[in-house]
Amino acid sequence: MTERMPRIVVVGEALVDIVHRADGAVEEAPGGSPANTALTLGRLGRRPTLITSLAGDDRGGRVRQWLEESEVEVVAVASARTSTAVAHLDAGGAATYAFDLAWDLGADAARLEELAGAADVVHVGSVAAVLEPGAGHVAALVRSVRGRAIVTYDPNIRPSLVDDPDRVRERVAGLIELADVVKASDEDIRWLHPGRDVRHVAREWVDRGPRLVVVTLGSDGAIGVTADGEVTVPAVQTRVVDTVGAGDTFMGVLIDSIVGSDELRESLATAGGSWAHAAGGSARRASGAGRGRGDRSSVVESLLERSAHAAAITVSRPGADPPRRAELPTPATAR
């Protein structure tokens, strides 16, 4: 009997990036952090659903087509305008952003909560998780699936949008406590916890709820922290064209690797939903079977290496252009 594909729902903004390159060129392209993560999962054959907000204008149509071409199902709440992000790239390809966003799920909140409730993995993050009024709907949705789905979260802080840092830090802290997996950049952690060591913060986050916390360190690689300890992997060396979508690619491949690994699903599933039961994970957890600490560390290391490899491919190409499955190594833990 063939095991069904896990159902993955991503919740968050989809928009148009207006990119100003260092040579003076200006380009428009679909984007948005959660949308990029959904796109990555679609290109890996996972057929995710993206819950987002789009207008019926030309930009909204371009975003929808871009996602659907990579096998992403788009469930969009109608908006008066399609959101935009103006990105300015420096000579090294690093981006800074200014946003014009519309984010409100209230009209369809009950329907969207029902849709997410059928998922095996729910991913949330970035602007959508902190920008009101939609942020309240995102938090309610996460609370509604907690214990039935694996919850993943990427804060992806956009300081230019923050008018109340204390409120945003409180919102982020609440979502960290609800999540099973958190992926954050070192820049996110330094904004959330000024002056703190990022590794110490990651360990504190694990103590507050997540089973796995991943911190990306740019050219210094990434670390993965669990209750068992810490794993570090180096960055993959490549020629950087720009960094647009790199962290979102990392997040998407992280999710893909988790859903492809019995060991990781067993350790991350909070209450053994239908998908975890189908894989036999709950029974193995209850019996105490599973890998030792060293083996689990090697699984996390493999997960981080594959995600870093994918991010390196994305930064070597202009814009958010994540790899397809054939471009990536097969996870060591894949079934």
Side-chain angles (χ1 to χ4, degrees):
M1 178 173 153
T2 303
E3 185 180 344
R4 69 172 175 83
M5 183 179 294
R7 293 170 294 207
I8 303 172
V9 170
V10 178
V11 185
E13 70 272 13
L15 47 78
V16 170
D17 284 321
I18 304 171
V19 180
H20 294 255
R21 299 193 173 274
D23 62 5
V26 180
E27 303 165 359
E28 287 198 14
S33 176
N36 290 337
T37 297
L39 183 80
T40 302
L41 287 161
R43 290 190 174 185
L44 296 175
R46 292 298 180 183
R47 297 184 179 180
T49 297
L50 174 67
I51 294 175
T52 191
S53 176
L54 289 171
D57 53 18
D58 289 344
R59 283 173 168 165
R62 288 175 59 198
V63 172
R64 184 183 289 274
Q65 180 181 0
W66 170 71
L67 290 161
E68 291 177 347
E69 285 175 349
S70 289
E71 297 189 272
V72 178
E73 178 190 19
V74 180
V75 177
V77 177
S79 175
R81 67 186 186 283
T82 295
S83 299
T84 61
V86 178
H88 289 271
L89 303 182
D90 64 19
T96 56
Y97 292 90
F99 294 88
D100 175 23
L101 296 180
W103 181 245
D104 185 354
L105 303 179
D108 290 332
R111 177 175 70 91
L112 300 180
E113 187 172 306
E114 182 179 356
L115 177 64
D120 301 298
V121 178
V122 174
H123 173 70
V124 300
S126 198
V127 178
V130 297
L131 183 67
E132 299 294 356
H137 306 139
V138 172
L141 186 150
V142 169
R143 286 192 293 269
S144 75
V145 302
R146 175 68 169 156
R148 293 186 286 135
I150 294 173
V151 176
T152 65
Y153 175 47
D154 179 2
N156 199 12
I157 301 296
R158 303 300 194 187
S160 64
L161 277 174
V162 175
D163 57 5
D164 186 343
D166 289 340
R167 181 187 60 79
V168 169
R169 289 184 177 108
E170 182 179 0
R171 175 75 73 183
V172 170
L175 288 170
I176 287 169
E177 291 176 359
L178 293 170
D180 300 296
V181 177
V182 177
K183 191 279 292 181
S185 69
D186 53 351
E187 292 178 347
D188 291 332
I189 293 181
R190 290 190 180 104
W191 187 90
L192 291 165
H193 301 279
R196 297 286 309 283
D197 180 86
V198 296
R199 294 171 186 266
H200 292 168
V201 171
R203 288 194 286 269
E204 288 179 3
W205 285 2
V206 168
D207 290 340
R208 288 165 50 193
R211 314 296 177 88
L212 171 64
V213 171
V214 174
V215 183
T216 57
L217 306 170
S219 60
D220 291 327
I223 61 173
V225 181
T226 69
D228 290 330
E230 182 180 305
V231 172
T232 302
V233 300
V236 176
Q237 298 302 308
T238 189
R239 183 179 69 89
V240 177
V241 174
D242 66 49
T243 61
V244 176
D248 309 321
T249 297
F250 193 108
M251 186 75 245
V253 174
L254 196 69
I255 295 169
D256 173 73
S257 300
I258 288 168
V259 299
S261 164
D262 288 337
E263 291 83 3
L264 287 167
R265 289 205 316 276
E266 289 171 27
S267 64
L268 296 174
T270 51
S274 59
W275 173 52
H277 278 297
S282 295
R284 283 192 287 272
R285 281 197 304 276
S287 68
R291 293 177 174 242
R293 174 175 174 175
D295 286 337
R296 281 193 296 271
S297 294
S298 69
V299 170
V300 173
E301 183 177 19
S302 174
L303 172 95
L304 298 184
E305 288 174 343
R306 186 167 181 261
S307 299
H309 185 94
I313 292 173
T314 297
V315 302
S316 73
R317 311 197 284 219
D321 186 9
R324 299 184 184 275
R325 186 169 295 279
E327 298 177 77
L328 295 178
T330 301
T333 55
R335 285 171 283 114

